[in-house]
Amino acid sequence: MSAPVDLVFAAPRRGKPPRHLADLSSDERREALVALGEPAYRARQLSTHYFGRYLDDTAEMTDLPQASRDRIGDGLFPPLLTPVRTLTADAGATVKTVWRLFDGALVESVLMRYPGRVTMCVSSQAGCGMACPFCATGQAGLTRNLSAAEIVGQVVAGSRLLASGEVAGGPGRISNVVFMGMGEPLANYRTVISAVRRLTDPVPDGLGMSQRGVTVSTVGLVPRIRQLTEEGLSVTLALSLHAPDDELRDELVPVNTRWKVAEVLDAAWAYAEQTKRRVSIEYALIRDINDQAWRADLLGEKLAGHLVHVNLIPLNPTPGSKWTASRPEDEREFVRRLEAHGVPVTVRDTRGQEIDGACGQLAAKEA
Ligand code: SAH
């Protein structure tokens, strides 16, 4: 018998980040305020400040009695994310931030503005335990799970920056959140679900984003995909497939040795069936590794007829990597063959390459 998934992928034991308002449901916020000797109705006041105005400094919350500000600040707004470095690219439309957490761990988030939408890419863990050999985060292993407030805080920080008008294109709002920063979100399952609820609960309980604007990306932890299917959320599921055959996927996405391509695709189709949402298949094109025409055909055969979309990502080589992005003609042929199978496909634009946009590269350098 194999060990349950939670034991195999459990994060190392470490100090937990201090509790923050954004870790709590609205009922828990009321209880926490009463425990701090405050009236329960302040929960709504504070939530409006945080989720509606992106304030987290109680000194700026002028409707709070002076005497309560420090107590509430200490009890519910501990500093969780300290910016270490901020880099911009794409004429200011891409902003990448490296954050230091309370225990010194580093994570990254990236804000990307496109015509008509703004996407925030967030981290769900410090490091990652999935060990995909082409991914910068995978090389260093897992440090720890983030808390819900550490995840939500990345989005609140991005929202604040956008609202301030400091991002090229003028003031705006985040429309999409993708769990494609550091970490395997489904290995931090409960916390990621509560973060998704904070992001999508209506203001003032949460940030009021659309569930359909949230994408959870996974290497393919099958039991967790099945659990997500039952969660009653309409988030988009992205599956990092990267190879249509077990032989290669065992190498590129080591968790495949546990849950095979057929199993993970079955779980993805069940998700699509339940939610009526198109599953996004992520496929990093790696020159002469997974970009052969026959693999495009095999992928096309396995996906054809399903509610699916393929997102091809030109590999962003990590430092010292022996792998690189596919040749343009191979990429074109890959697209053509998928389309010939009737599978919708797009090639992801590569934002922020000059600032080490790929997953985990910047934090790795900083460390
Ligand atoms: N652990 C989750 C989410 C984080 S990674 C997952 O694997 O889905 C987000 C996406 O970036 C994944 O599809 C991942 O495979 C891809 N990725 C990681 N490193 C990359 C690189 N160097 N070049 C291109 N894509 C990469």
Side-chain angles (χ1 to χ4, degrees):
M1 265 232 0
S2 46
V5 55
D6 284 332
L7 287 182
V8 174
F9 298 119
R13 264 181 206 288
R14 272 210 160 199
K16 267 188 154 189
R19 179 194 66 176
H20 184 284
L21 180 93
D23 288 314
L24 307 177
S25 67
S26 42
D27 285 346
E28 291 166 342
R29 285 174 218 164
R30 296 169 66 84
E31 287 164 24
L33 279 154
V34 172
L36 287 172
E38 294 287 332
Y41 68 76
R42 287 223 195 292
R44 192 179 168 89
Q45 236 178 326
L46 296 170
S47 301
T48 305
H49 281 305
Y50 187 68
F51 293 109
R53 306 194 184 99
Y54 319 129
L55 292 182
D56 58 5
D57 180 355
T58 51
E60 293 173 35
M61 302 180 189
T62 48
D63 56 351
L64 292 184
Q66 200 67 44
S68 301
R69 292 186 193 175
D70 284 350
R71 187 164 56 224
I72 292 175
D74 292 346
L76 287 170
F77 295 100
L80 295 177
L81 300 163
T82 308
V84 179
R85 254 179 107 183
T86 302
L87 295 168
T88 61
D90 307 308
T94 303
V95 182
K96 176 156 181 161
T97 309
V98 181
W99 305 99
R100 189 184 312 282
L101 307 182
F102 87 105
D103 56 355
L106 299 175
V107 296
E108 313 173 352
S109 61
V110 190
L111 184 155
M112 291 159 282
R113 183 172 225 157
Y114 301 91
R117 78 191 145 97
V118 182
T119 299
M120 186 88 197
C121 176
V122 297
S123 296
S124 57
Q125 300 182 310
C128 184
M130 300 297 122
C132 304
F134 57 89
C135 171
T137 309
Q139 309 319 301
L142 178 62
T143 302
R144 70 166 168 88
N145 284 329
L146 300 197
S147 66
E150 286 172 326
I151 297 171
V152 173
Q154 298 167 54
V155 182
V156 169
S159 301
R160 188 186 295 130
L161 187 71
L162 257 178
S164 75
E166 283 170 58
V167 178
R173 298 174 65 87
I174 292 173
S175 52
N176 298 78
V177 169
V178 297
F179 283 83
M180 293 189 181
M182 298 174 96
E184 166 51 42
L186 296 191
N188 187 12
Y189 185 85
R190 272 287 135 225
T191 301
V192 164
I193 296 299
S194 36
V196 169
R197 297 206 186 277
R198 294 301 106 75
L199 298 178
T200 58
D201 279 347
V203 180
D205 283 340
L207 284 169
M209 297 184 43
S210 150
Q211 288 184 4
R212 281 162 299 165
V214 175
T215 297
V216 174
S217 182
T218 179
V219 289
L221 305 184
V222 166
R224 291 292 166 261
I225 295 175
R226 299 216 173 263
Q227 196 173 350
L228 186 66
T229 306
E230 301 305 316
E231 208 67 60
L233 292 169
S234 324
V235 298
T236 299
L237 177 70
L239 172 62
S240 298
L241 198 65
H242 304 311
D245 55 303
D246 287 320
E247 193 186 349
L248 179 57
R249 194 167 191 266
D250 280 350
E251 186 188 346
L252 295 181
V253 185
V255 79
N256 195 72
T257 57
R258 178 135 185 182
W259 294 289
K260 297 295 174 190
V261 171
E263 265 181 285
V264 78
L265 286 178
D266 273 352
W269 306 146
Y271 186 84
E273 176 68 25
Q274 175 73 30
T275 60
K276 312 290 177 222
R277 311 246 346 120
R278 208 168 274 282
V279 171
S280 179
I281 299 291
E282 308 297 300
Y283 199 106
L285 281 174
I286 313 176
R287 185 181 298 185
D288 298 330
I289 300 292
N290 66 352
D291 63 354
Q292 303 85 352
W294 71 267
R295 280 205 163 88
D297 285 333
L298 184 60
L299 182 64
E301 281 160 30
K302 293 195 176 186
L303 304 187
H306 291 284
L307 195 54
V308 71
H309 176 102
V310 176
N311 197 7
L312 295 174
I313 318 164
L315 184 80
N316 199 337
T318 58
S321 164
K322 54 182 189 242
W323 290 327
T324 189
S326 299
R327 296 171 199 88
E329 60 271 27
D330 294 337
E331 180 182 296
R332 277 196 300 273
E333 183 62 10
F334 208 92
V335 170
R336 200 190 64 74
R337 293 200 178 219
L338 284 175
E339 284 174 343
H341 284 85
V343 174
V345 51
T346 46
V347 179
R348 188 191 288 178
D349 87 331
T350 46
R351 278 292 181 103
Q353 277 200 322
E354 69 269 40
I355 54 168
D356 296 318
C359 185
Q361 288 188 15
L362 198 59
K365 210 182 254 181
E366 203 69 40

